[in-house]
Amino acid sequence: MIHISPGDVDADRYLTGQQLQPKLTQLPADFPINCKFSFYSFGNDDYMQEIMHIVELANQSGLNPQSAHYITTLEGTDQQLFDYFQVALSYAHEHLNHYVLEATISVNSPSLKGEQHAKK
């Protein structure tokens, strides 16, 4: 038996073998997105200051950063998120010797819809 995610439809598990290009014109210009990310700075004594700065950049980008268990959650649009990643990584590249940014991005996740109902 094949296990699929709750948001998948039965047809999602079958592959046709065709390599079709995505229909990017069907995507909205700016769509809502959620992200869980972690940032780590290594090799400097004030690493927490650097992490706080990276999170503050997310706040300045309008992504409403919220602390969770070893991660920070972000909510916004795709454009806001990728613009933020550009700013955060540019800062890290200029100011830090060694760093890691790890992110999981969700769009239209049925799990998040359940969390949104729980917040109300």
Side-chain angles (χ1 to χ4, degrees):
M1 175 169 201
I2 297 175
H3 296 282
I4 58 176
S5 289
D8 291 346
V9 296
D10 200 33
D12 286 344
R13 66 178 129 168
Y14 299 105
L15 298 175
T16 64
Q18 295 176 326
Q19 294 183 355
L20 302 175
Q21 294 295 318
K23 297 179 182 177
L24 298 178
T25 56
Q26 293 180 353
L27 292 175
D30 221 12
F31 54 90
I33 198 165
N34 295 81
C35 178
K36 294 178 181 179
F37 90 105
S38 300
F39 183 85
Y40 305 96
S41 173
F42 301 102
N44 58 357
D45 293 335
D46 59 346
Y47 67 94
M48 284 305 296
Q49 290 296 102
E50 297 296 352
I51 293 169
M52 290 171 35
H53 182 76
I54 293 294
V55 172
E56 178 54 30
L57 290 173
N59 191 43
Q60 292 171 11
S61 297
L63 292 168
N64 188 31
Q66 299 293 313
S67 180
H69 189 65
Y70 292 107
I71 63 161
T72 300
T73 62
L74 304 174
E75 297 177 355
T77 66
D78 61 317
Q79 191 64 54
Q80 284 176 300
L81 182 67
F82 290 109
D83 286 349
Y84 161 68
F85 283 154
Q86 181 66 41
V87 169
L89 292 173
S90 291
Y91 172 84
H93 183 70
E94 289 178 25
H95 296 94
L96 304 172
N97 290 327
H98 187 91
Y99 59 89
V100 173
L101 187 145
E102 180 180 38
T104 301
I105 299 170
S106 299
V107 178
N108 296 326
S109 171
S111 300
L112 292 172
K113 290 177 185 172
E115 289 176 14
Q116 291 168 351
H117 290 299
K119 290 180 186 177
K120 291 182 181 179

